[in-house]
Amino acid sequence: MAETSSGGKKKGKGKVKWSKLYTFSCLRPSFDTDQQLLGQPGFSRVVFCNESRLHHLKPHKYPNNYISTTKYNVATFLPKALFEQFRRVANLYFLFAAVLSLTLTSLAPFSPASMVAPLVFVVGISMLKEALEDWHRFLQDLNVNSRKVMVHTGNGLFVEKAWKALCVGDVVKINKNEYFPSDLLLLSSSYEDGLCYVETMNLDGETNLKVKRCLEATLGLDEDSDFQKFKSTIRCEDPNASLYTFVGNLDFENQSYPFGPCQVLLRDSKLRNTDYVFGVVIFTGPDTKVVRNSTRPPSKRSRIERKMDYVIYVLFSILVFISLVNSVGSTLYTDSDSFKWWYLRFQEHKNPFFNPSKPLYSGFLQFVRALILYGYLIPISLYVSIELVKVLQAMLINKDLQMYDEISSKFVEARTSNLNEELGQVEMILSDKTGTLTCNQMEFRKCSIEGISYGGDMNEVDIAASKRMNIDVERYRFSLDGSDSTGRSLEMFEFSAADHASTEKDVLGHEQGAENLGTNDSRIPAFRKESMIKGFNFRDDQLLNKLWIYRSNVSDMVMFFRVMALCHTGIPVDDDDQTGKVMYEAESPEEVCFLIAAQEFGFKFCRRSQSVMVLSELDPSSGLEVERKYKLLNLLEFSSSRKRMSVIVSDENGQIFLLCKGADNIVFDRLADNGRTYQQATTMHLLSYAEDGLRTLVFAYRKVEVNVYERWNSTFTKAKATMGPQREEELENAAAIIEKELILLGAVAVDDKLQDGVPECIDRLAQAGLKIWLLTGDKMETAVNIGYACSLLRHDMKQLHLSLSKEAETSNQVKVMKEDILHQIQSSYDMTIDEKNKEAPFALVVDGKALEIALRSDTRDQFLQLAVSCASVICCRVSPKQKAFITRSVKQHTGKTTLAIGDGANDVGMIQEADIGVGISGMEGMQ
């Protein structure tokens, strides 16, 4: 894309100056009291930029960038591995018996080799298995530590170095699609105002891109030669595990500049859609946030194996008792008159086991011999058999054809055979969302324009819903263009909820009927065939193939498609060689999905510059594609509190429009009296889409007079210039002034495509009594939508929400926040134990800030008491370390067998903490 990858003042600089468009805190460093903490305990780190040699000596010596995830090394393997093996009580007993048979050979009733050989075999096989697993971890570490990065060595020269050779203070250059080798402060990028896009999939599991922007003071450092004389000092927080916060100051050219998480690039994130960035290393190796969020590989033992230890204790007690009886009997016999019986000849043989002069010593020898002789009461052969059975079970699991993935040509891989028997005892499941329940593939499914719903394709969520509601499925045939036999549009009919259920029933019957046909059967409707366009699973000939231009009121349809093509932060990145379509990248997968859909409807977003967005539009009057330019005046971006996004543009005729998309309740409240024409029909369609498990947004617009815009813009400009904590509130208030008197256009529905069979699987697990927790880094709204789509949340469930009140959040006092959360927990728990609600299933939804308070030591027990009483739990904005901590807490609190499942590097800690960990080879790496 010429406009964003070349041009500008210097070669390779992009022209999009986002700092003038973005207004809220996503690109602004914080100016709060956190900056006052620098220099105090926990905020004492000092980094000398471009002078890494100063960090080779104390007091500013920091770890190198080498990381290790192995469990052992050459020196520790033997002692650690032996310790792990002899944690088994049985192995400890057999070692004891082997030592006795070797040291007291005269007492052993059989060859010592018969005791030593089985022990060596069992322990040796287990240690070999441990060594192989750890060797694979070592090879992965070697591969990561040997990756190359461009490092400044002086005189403006950048050379390749291995990641492990990086030091704090080094200036590095990262190119497009490369991973960041350590935690960096962003200095500049290929874009003129230092913007860059970052993919944090390995950190929080989210596939959407994050926007980062450097400080304005370092914007000029955009060429290799600019770093020849670059010197500065960073003072920041000490290493910690928090992914979403950062406090630091950059001292540069006698000025101090505060920076926050928006200027920090974390290790294992990936640079996307940006040619290059320059950064300075702040944290290396074990100090980086991703490593701080990781946990060491644990040693897991199955519940049966632990119970067998208790059985061994019992058997050993019986063995000691038998040996003791044997010893006492022998002592009494030896101490009796039997030594006088001449025919026994005790005096001639001098047998130490029957020495009348030392009866107690003889009894002790008999006790030791009995221990060895009766030792097979604890059968080591059973352990050998169990180990062999487990290995054979693992081999069968690895070759299970029902778990073979044809796309990647991979079988399931049982990394350890120790936990096979645990699979049938699971009672708690903790799951990641993105890539585990969903496919990381957002699809445009349906839309409502001018009160008419378009798009009739069905998905697995619909089928699962029909089964849950016990719908009597019938066949239902309708034409692809949505018309009945008389040619009238089916969507034009008004129908009641009962009619809708009947229609849904019929459609599902048609769906199931189609599934019974072959994939090439001519009777299958066209909309059942797999979409060839990634992100676009829409089937309705009323809109496709330019047919929408023949409908009656096309003006609102044109405006609907313009909102879809203009109200976003996306950028065209490339053309697909196979389809000839433009490909996009944006901050959220929904925006990419909308851009793809707009392109299919004839409104292709071509390029953008600093203040111009260019569309290739389908002109309804001529049926031809024409290129139109829109001047981008303001961008009011989405936030969790606003729940909407708007852009203000002017067309080629100078007319100014505000284009808005957002949550239905938010947009409906801002509609003009004459803008509610389609509200009733749109609301009905939104309910229908929600039942299908789809994520919805509403589109609206407003024509703004020039004088009204100019007055508002002066107010908005003042709000942008405000410093301090009140800046966010003033900006939101200013945005709300113009985001009103809107005209409703319609709604869109997208589907975060579920993995095959997810709703049915979760439904069956829930019926079996298993409790399921969803731990995700996504925001609450997204997690709840997916919860409904995958049957984790059901409409018959009573939802309990745990989130900080506005008063508690603004107070910023831990005591106030704790009291607020405890009050919510207690009131929610009282509701669950109420007699009236005993039969009703409960679902608990917890946001990130509330979860942080709830997991504190003095509130954790109350939170877990509430959580484990609910059938489903959804935790949002969870960091990798929190995932692991929640898993450990649930396991300890309930004492039940837990299973954790995930597909990203951010899920590793959770997988390791659970009794059973399942890793999916998905789109988020293979850590």
Side-chain angles (χ1 to χ4, degrees):
M1 186 188 71
E3 294 288 345
T4 59
S5 61
S6 63
K9 293 180 181 179
K10 296 187 180 181
K11 185 179 179 181
K13 300 297 288 180
K15 286 186 177 180
V16 180
K17 198 156 188 175
W18 290 97
S19 57
K20 291 186 178 180
L21 302 179
Y22 279 95
T23 53
F24 295 100
S25 61
C26 65
L27 293 178
R28 301 276 178 175
S30 60
F31 290 92
D32 54 23
T33 54
D34 288 343
Q35 299 296 327
Q36 300 172 10
L37 298 172
L38 295 176
Q40 298 180 20
F43 298 85
S44 59
R45 194 175 187 90
V46 178
V47 177
F48 301 106
C49 303
N50 218 12
E51 296 179 284
S52 58
R53 66 184 184 283
L54 299 179
H55 294 292
H56 295 163
L57 300 172
K58 293 183 177 180
H60 301 300
K61 185 177 181 180
Y62 303 122
N64 60 29
N65 204 40
Y66 181 86
I67 64 161
S68 174
T69 60
T70 57
K71 194 173 173 183
Y72 311 103
N73 57 38
V74 176
T76 62
F77 173 72
L78 201 58
K80 275 190 175 182
L82 286 172
F83 172 76
E84 292 294 337
Q85 294 307 313
F86 290 109
R87 284 171 62 192
R88 290 181 177 178
V89 177
N91 284 350
L92 200 59
Y93 165 74
F94 292 129
L95 176 65
F96 171 70
V99 170
L100 285 179
S101 66
L102 286 171
T103 55
L104 303 172
T105 53
S106 60
L107 301 179
F110 40 72
S111 168
S114 61
M115 288 294 294
V116 175
L119 177 67
V120 171
F121 176 78
V122 172
V123 172
I125 290 294
S126 299
M127 288 179 65
L128 180 62
K129 188 170 63 175
E130 289 277 322
L132 285 173
E133 289 176 1
D134 214 49
W135 176 253
H136 289 302
R137 295 191 194 103
F138 170 74
L139 293 178
Q140 283 184 327
D141 291 344
L142 187 65
N143 180 51
V144 171
N145 289 318
S146 301
R147 289 177 181 173
K148 301 297 182 182
V149 63
M150 301 296 293
V151 182
H152 184 240
T153 57
N155 299 321
L157 181 64
F158 282 77
V159 299
E160 275 194 349
K161 281 188 179 181
W163 277 22
K164 62 183 178 183
L166 272 186
C167 297
V168 171
D170 279 336
V171 174
V172 297
K173 182 179 183 180
I174 311 296
N175 294 311
K176 185 178 180 180
N177 293 329
E178 289 182 351
Y179 287 97
F180 301 122
S182 57
D183 292 350
L184 312 172
L185 169 64
L186 176 61
L187 297 175
S188 63
S189 78
S190 57
Y191 291 110
E192 194 172 79
D193 64 344
L195 187 88
C196 73
Y197 284 92
V198 175
E199 182 183 82
T200 59
M201 192 158 43
N202 282 336
L203 299 179
D204 54 22
E206 293 188 27
T207 54
N208 52 298
L209 303 182
K210 310 291 191 304
V211 177
K212 302 285 184 176
R213 180 176 177 269
C214 72
L215 297 171
E216 292 187 10
T218 59
L219 275 175
L221 301 171
D222 51 17
E223 296 287 345
D224 294 3
S225 57
D226 294 334
F227 291 93
Q228 187 171 356
K229 298 180 180 179
F230 170 65
K231 296 286 187 298
S232 68
T233 303
I234 295 173
R235 303 179 192 279
C236 65
E237 62 185 37
D238 293 338
N240 60 73
S242 176
L243 294 175
Y244 305 111
T245 61
F246 199 92
V247 179
N249 257 20
L250 176 70
D251 297 333
F252 181 53
E253 295 180 346
N254 300 320
Q255 293 286 329
S256 184
Y257 303 93
F259 65 89
C262 294
Q263 287 77 42
V264 176
L265 308 172
L266 300 182
R267 180 186 174 118
D268 279 355
S269 300
K270 191 177 187 179
L271 183 66
R272 296 289 302 275
N273 199 37
T274 311
D275 291 340
Y276 63 84
V277 296
F278 289 102
V280 62
V281 177
I282 305 175
F283 296 138
T284 50
D287 288 346
T288 57
K289 290 184 181 286
V290 66
V291 176
R292 291 264 167 170
N293 271 281
S294 64
T295 54
R296 284 283 176 182
S299 296
K300 295 185 180 180
R301 302 179 67 207
S302 68
R303 197 171 292 251
I304 286 181
E305 194 173 297
R306 290 195 295 269
K307 283 187 177 179
M308 284 176 67
D309 285 348
Y310 293 107
V311 174
I312 296 298
Y313 288 134
V314 173
L315 290 177
F316 185 71
S317 300
I318 295 172
L319 174 62
V320 170
F321 176 74
I322 293 173
S323 300
L324 196 61
V325 169
N326 187 88
S327 173
V328 170
S330 177
T331 301
L332 293 175
Y333 176 74
T334 305
D335 198 33
S336 67
D337 292 339
S338 61
F339 71 94
K340 297 178 182 178
W341 299 341
W342 61 269
Y343 54 83
L344 294 179
R345 300 180 181 180
F346 286 125
Q347 292 81 4
E348 295 180 16
H349 294 294
K350 305 262 184 200
N351 191 336
F353 294 101
F354 299 98
N355 190 345
S357 60
K358 298 179 180 178
L360 292 177
Y361 177 69
S362 295
F364 172 74
L365 294 180
Q366 287 287 5
F367 176 76
V368 174
R369 175 176 252 192
L371 281 178
I372 300 173
L373 180 63
Y374 303 139
Y376 283 105
L377 183 67
I378 303 172
I380 194 170
S381 59
L382 176 62
Y383 276 85
V384 176
S385 302
I386 289 174
E387 285 294 326
L388 289 174
V389 167
K390 285 183 176 181
V391 170
L392 291 172
Q393 283 178 338
M395 292 173 64
L396 288 172
I397 292 172
N398 291 343
K399 298 299 181 184
D400 190 342
L401 291 177
Q402 292 188 1
M403 299 183 74
Y404 174 73
D405 181 42
E406 295 182 355
I407 297 175
S408 60
S409 299
K410 287 183 179 179
F411 281 96
V412 64
E413 184 177 348
R415 290 286 179 89
T416 175
S417 59
N418 295 340
L419 306 173
N420 297 349
E421 64 271 23
E422 292 281 88
L423 290 170
Q425 304 175 57
V426 174
E427 295 181 70
M428 307 283 293
I429 296 178
L430 299 99
S431 174
D432 175 43
K433 180 189 75 69
T434 310
T436 304
L437 299 181
T438 65
C439 294
N440 273 345
Q441 296 174 11
M442 201 70 72
E443 290 183 335
F444 185 90
R445 293 290 309 284
K446 300 179 181 181
C447 63
S448 171
I449 310 174
E450 299 174 338
I452 301 174
S453 181
Y454 300 94
D457 197 7
M458 307 299 294
N459 67 354
E460 66 272 15
V461 180
D462 305 322
I463 299 170
S466 70
K467 291 178 180 177
R468 288 199 306 276
M469 294 183 287
N470 295 319
I471 292 175
D472 183 20
V473 180
E474 300 176 3
R475 282 183 175 272
Y476 179 72
R477 296 186 178 275
F478 56 90
S479 62
L480 181 59
D481 64 0
S483 303
D484 64 5
S485 58
T486 63
R488 294 173 296 176
S489 175
L490 289 173
E491 282 85 350
M492 292 298 291
F493 288 104
E494 292 184 3
F495 51 93
S496 64
D499 294 330
H500 171 69
S502 175
T503 303
E504 182 186 55
K505 172 175 62 178
D506 292 340
V507 172
L508 291 167
H510 175 81
E511 177 82 6
Q512 290 189 347
E515 283 182 346
N516 294 327
L517 304 176
T519 54
N520 295 320
D521 199 304
S522 60
R523 291 173 289 171
I524 300 179
F527 66 81
R528 284 284 292 126
K529 296 181 180 178
E530 196 66 34
S531 171
M532 296 297 292
I533 303 168
K534 186 177 180 181
F536 188 74
N537 190 12
F538 181 87
R539 295 292 177 272
D540 198 321
D541 276 359
Q542 295 176 94
L543 296 186
L544 295 176
N545 302 318
K546 304 181 181 182
L547 294 180
W548 62 266
I549 65 175
Y550 302 112
R551 301 190 69 82
S552 57
N553 186 11
V554 297
S555 59
D556 281 350
M557 300 193 82
V558 168
M559 191 58 69
F560 181 92
F561 295 137
R562 280 179 184 159
V563 174
M564 192 182 291
L566 292 172
C567 189
H568 59 82
T569 60
I571 294 178
V573 291
D574 205 355
D575 290 344
D576 191 324
D577 295 334
Q578 295 181 350
T579 62
K581 305 288 186 180
V582 178
M583 299 171 66
Y584 303 95
E585 286 185 354
E587 289 183 50
S588 70
E590 290 97 335
E591 289 192 343
V592 175
C593 184
F594 293 152
L595 287 170
I596 293 172
Q599 184 174 199
E600 293 304 309
F601 295 134
F603 285 72
K604 180 166 69 176
F605 174 56
C606 301
R607 60 188 181 276
R608 77 189 314 155
S609 66
Q610 171 59 44
S611 58
V612 175
M613 302 176 75
V614 181
L615 298 186
S616 174
E617 295 186 3
L618 179 61
D619 184 8
S621 59
S622 64
L624 301 176
E625 292 186 0
V626 295
E627 187 174 283
R628 291 197 173 100
K629 296 181 179 180
Y630 296 87
K631 187 176 181 181
L632 182 57
L633 302 176
N634 298 90
L635 188 150
L636 311 177
E637 70 269 19
F638 180 90
S639 69
S640 57
S641 58
R642 284 166 42 78
K643 295 186 179 178
R644 64 189 183 277
M645 173 191 175
S646 300
V647 294
I648 302 175
V649 299
S650 64
D651 62 14
E652 294 169 338
N653 299 322
Q655 291 181 314
I656 298 176
F657 294 93
L658 181 141
L659 311 178
C660 179
K661 65 181 180 185
D664 52 359
N665 58 324
I666 300 296
V667 175
F668 286 167
D669 289 344
R670 287 162 173 76
L671 294 178
D673 291 337
N674 63 342
R676 300 178 181 270
T677 308
Y678 314 124
Q679 183 175 354
Q680 184 177 356
T682 304
T683 302
M684 184 175 61
H685 296 150
L686 287 169
L687 290 172
S688 173
Y689 299 160
E691 288 174 5
D692 294 340
L694 303 178
R695 299 164 68 170
T696 58
L697 281 177
V698 171
F699 286 180
Y701 82 102
R702 174 189 178 184
K703 185 176 179 181
V704 183
E705 299 296 330
V706 175
N707 59 338
V708 174
Y709 171 75
E710 289 175 350
R711 284 199 305 271
W712 172 83
N713 194 42
S714 62
T715 304
F716 192 64
T717 304
K718 289 179 184 177
K720 285 170 65 177
T722 305
M723 294 297 178
Q726 72 274 18
R727 181 176 186 273
E728 296 292 314
E729 185 178 354
E730 291 195 16
L731 281 169
E732 288 194 19
N733 292 337
I737 293 173
I738 199 167
E739 289 176 320
K740 63 182 182 180
E741 301 297 320
L742 302 176
I743 297 174
L744 180 64
L745 293 168
V748 290
V750 297
D751 181 17
D752 189 357
K753 188 173 172 61
L754 295 176
Q755 300 279 6
D756 290 340
V758 163
E760 297 92 333
C761 176
I762 289 181
D763 208 30
R764 289 173 184 172
L765 291 172
Q767 289 176 19
L770 276 72
K771 295 190 174 180
I772 304 169
W773 290 46
L774 177 62
L775 309 180
T776 177
D778 278 351
K779 59 182 182 287
M780 184 183 288
E781 295 86 351
T782 304
V784 169
N785 283 333
I786 294 300
Y788 276 112
C790 68
S791 299
L792 190 63
L793 297 178
R794 302 189 303 273
H795 291 286
D796 64 327
M797 280 183 167
K798 294 189 176 181
Q799 278 190 38
L800 306 174
H801 287 259
L802 209 59
S803 58
L804 286 173
S805 63
K806 282 193 174 180
E807 295 79 9
E809 192 170 353
T810 52
S811 71
N812 205 26
Q813 295 180 9
V814 175
K815 183 179 179 182
V816 176
M817 292 189 285
K818 187 172 70 174
E819 289 174 353
D820 180 43
I821 292 299
L822 281 173
H823 174 72
Q824 294 183 48
I825 290 174
Q826 188 58 49
S827 59
S828 298
Y829 184 69
D830 291 343
M831 192 183 299
T832 62
I833 61 176
D834 192 333
E835 288 292 332
K836 297 176 183 178
N837 299 323
K838 284 221 166 174
E839 299 300 321
F842 284 87
L844 178 65
V845 182
V846 192
D847 76 2
K849 291 182 180 178
L851 182 66
E852 194 173 333
I853 300 296
L855 290 177
R856 294 172 68 92
S857 58
D858 47 354
T859 57
R860 189 187 315 147
D861 290 339
Q862 294 94 318
F863 167 69
L864 290 172
Q865 183 184 40
L866 168 64
V868 297
S869 66
C870 297
S872 302
V873 180
I874 296 178
C875 299
C876 313
R877 287 297 180 195
V878 185
S879 69
K881 198 140 197 171
Q882 282 180 322
K883 285 186 177 184
F885 184 69
I886 292 170
T887 306
R888 186 190 321 134
S889 300
V890 170
K891 183 172 67 172
Q892 293 173 350
H893 182 82
T894 62
K896 297 177 179 178
T897 304
T898 58
L899 180 145
I901 179 168
D903 71 320
N906 60 313
D907 304 316
V908 172
M910 172 178 74
I911 289 170
Q912 292 174 340
E913 282 292 347
D915 292 310
I916 304 170
V918 179
I920 296 177
S921 174
M923 299 174 64
E924 299 184 21
M926 280 287 288
Q927 183 178 340

